[in-house]
Amino acid sequence: MAQSIYMAGVLVGALVLGGLSDRFGRKAMLMWSYLQLGVMGTCTAFAPNYATYCVLRFAGGMALSGFGLSIACLVVEWIPTSHRAITVAITGFAYTLGQILLAGVAFAVPHWRRLQLTVSLPFFGFLLYSWWLAESARWLVLSGKAEAAVKVLQRVARINGRKEEGEKITVEILRSHMKEELAGLKASYSISDLVRTPVIRHIFFCLSIVWFSISFSYYGLAMDLQNFGVSIYLIQVIFGAVDFPAKLVVTISLSYVGRRLSLMVALFLAGLAIIANIFVPTELQTLRTALAVLGKGCLSASFNCVFLYTTELYPTPIRQTGLGFGSTMARIGGIVAPLVKMLDESYPLLPPAVYGVAPVVAAAVAAFLPETLNMPLPDSIQEVESRAKRKPKEDPKEKIPLEPQEKAP
């Protein structure tokens, strides 16, 4: 019950905090999420009763969504296209490392209240150093805060050892290179903008299916992996360890093969591994375990792909909202997965078949998404719509604010 309430909090947080980030900024929502995670987690450790515990867990789940979505947007909106895949992969490796470390911490601190306190207090430290992080310059410009964007870019230029180039950046330069995006801005944006125009609507429905399917199969497979017959600490380590090779391979694929094909292959292999396990006799436990771990690794790689892909497909004004709704669909998938698992008693083959078919269907749906490899981030809905009607060309706006332009011979 408490875990379901926590997942409901994650779902609500993805919807609410995603939109607030597009309105108030990535850094502001990241800092708020750190504070909320620290306070709610610490209070949970001292919860006097079960009802209070559930309320605090719900609030902590909301903050988790805000943290993850804000980090993803900051990374994508700051990192140049050529380094974006590897940067997202590094953040993914950090998540995996945390998953493995959690097993050791839980083993060392078995009492749940002390464990809760141990994993919650570090967020206050994260809150302090997050003051140093820079707000997204893209968001600042598109929110009418060009002067603040110039200051942020000049600060970044100094850190990168390009102080002279940074001093050349002015409000006029920023606005001249984003005049089309600025001209197409509305006073405000809402979740309705995800379905208002045809191309964005197409992207929205395809990504919703992909997000749902990945999470649905991931949690369905996770429930089967818990039947290893080993300690929960070892399961936690296995969950994390398989992510390293999976994410390494998909990072290389994202950079050289492309986002769409990488996502399709990872989803298809995950579904194939889950379906193949249906036909493996229960006596061959090692083979069944290997296929399950392979499927889990492919689904983890799919998560890496879809996080990066989603942020590159949606334009800046609704990027966090779109990512938030995708995360919401993932949480719905996580909630539905246990319900399908309940059919195991009456129809033993049905749950694994459904868990396997879902990512295969999602792989087919992903084929209808546009490729974003080596393309600049879109900054307006009109830009996304126009890209579908013409062959994209290299856009200098991706590097002008951060790198000096090469002089013509």
Side-chain angles (χ1 to χ4, degrees), residues 112-140:
W112 76 267
R113 289 186 185 272
R114 294 176 181 174
L115 176 62
Q116 179 68 46
L117 189 62
T118 302
V119 299
S120 299
L121 290 177
F123 284 105
F124 293 106
F126 301 154
L127 172 63
L128 293 177
Y129 87 69
S130 64
W131 283 95
W132 176 83
L133 298 176
E135 178 59 274
S136 168
R138 289 177 179 273
W139 179 84
L140 288 171

Side-chain angles (χ1 to χ4, degrees), residues 84-405:
R84 198 172 290 149
I86 185 64
T87 306
V88 171
I90 291 173
T91 59
F93 286 138
Y95 172 85
T96 300
L97 181 61
Q99 193 173 14
I100 295 175
L101 289 176
L102 178 61
V105 174
F107 182 80
V109 188
H111 192 280
W112 76 267
R113 289 186 185 272
R114 294 176 181 174
L115 176 62
Q116 179 68 46
L117 189 62
T118 302
V119 299
S120 299
L121 290 177
F123 284 105
F124 293 106
F126 301 154
L127 172 63
L128 293 177
Y129 87 69
S130 64
W131 283 95
W132 176 83
L133 298 176
E135 178 59 274
S136 168
R138 289 177 179 273
W139 179 84
L140 288 171
V141 173
L142 296 175
S143 299
K145 302 176 181 179
E147 294 81 4
V150 169
K151 293 179 180 179
V152 168
L153 288 169
Q154 289 175 342
R155 176 190 164 207
V156 171
R158 287 195 302 270
I159 295 174
N160 289 338
R162 298 176 179 270
K163 183 178 179 180
E164 293 183 1
E165 289 82 358
E167 291 175 349
K168 298 176 183 178
I169 300 174
T170 63
V171 173
E172 290 71 22
I173 290 177
L174 285 182
R175 287 174 175 167
S176 66
H177 285 91
M178 299 184 70
K179 56 185 178 181
E180 293 183 5
E181 292 79 5
L182 290 169
L185 286 179
K186 299 194 306 178
S188 62
Y189 293 84
S190 67
I191 196 171
S192 64
D193 288 295
L194 295 175
V195 294
R196 186 172 55 84
T197 54
V199 177
I200 295 288
R201 183 168 57 246
H202 171 84
I203 292 172
F204 168 76
F205 283 119
C206 289
L207 286 177
S208 295
I209 294 172
V210 172
W211 275 97
F212 174 89
S213 300
I214 295 175
S215 182
F216 172 74
S217 298
Y218 184 92
Y219 285 104
L221 186 58
M223 288 182 288
D224 280 339
L225 286 175
Q226 291 174 358
N227 296 324
F228 277 173
V230 295
S231 71
I232 57 173
Y233 307 110
L234 181 56
I235 291 175
Q236 188 75 8
V237 173
I238 293 173
F239 264 51
V242 69
D243 285 2
F244 282 106
K247 291 179 178 179
L248 178 62
V249 171
V250 81
T251 298
I252 298 173
S253 177
L254 285 169
S255 300
Y256 295 98
V257 178
R259 285 44 164 157
R260 180 173 54 194
L261 185 58
S262 298
L263 179 60
M264 290 172 60
V265 171
L267 285 168
F268 181 77
L269 290 178
L272 196 64
I274 297 172
I275 293 173
N277 232 349
I278 300 175
F279 304 99
V280 178
T282 55
E283 295 80 15
L284 300 177
Q285 191 63 34
T286 302
L287 178 58
R288 289 180 60 84
T289 300
L291 285 172
V293 171
L294 173 63
K296 194 270 179 183
C298 289
L299 288 172
S300 294
S302 300
F303 264 124
N304 251 37
C305 290
V306 77
F307 252 107
L308 175 62
Y309 206 6
T310 300
T311 54
E312 292 182 336
L313 285 169
Y314 285 121
T316 302
I318 59 171
R319 181 168 295 125
Q320 192 88 338
T321 302
L323 186 60
F325 197 89
S327 181
T328 299
M329 293 302 298
R331 303 314 159 194
I332 293 175
I335 293 172
V336 173
L339 301 180
V340 175
K341 181 65 176 176
M342 293 171 61
L343 300 174
D344 191 28
E345 295 181 3
S346 303
Y347 308 97
L349 297 181
L350 184 58
V354 176
Y355 294 145
V357 169
V360 173
V361 172
V365 171
F368 295 95
L369 289 170
E371 180 57 71
T372 60
L373 178 63
N374 295 328
M375 294 181 64
L377 289 178
D379 286 318
S380 68
I381 293 176
Q382 290 78 7
E383 186 177 350
V384 175
E385 297 294 323
S386 63
R387 280 186 182 181
K389 301 175 183 178
R390 60 179 172 82
K391 185 177 180 180
K393 298 180 181 180
E394 183 181 357
D395 194 336
K397 73 177 183 180
E398 186 73 13
K399 60 182 180 180
I400 279 182
L402 300 178
E403 299 179 10
Q405 293 296 290

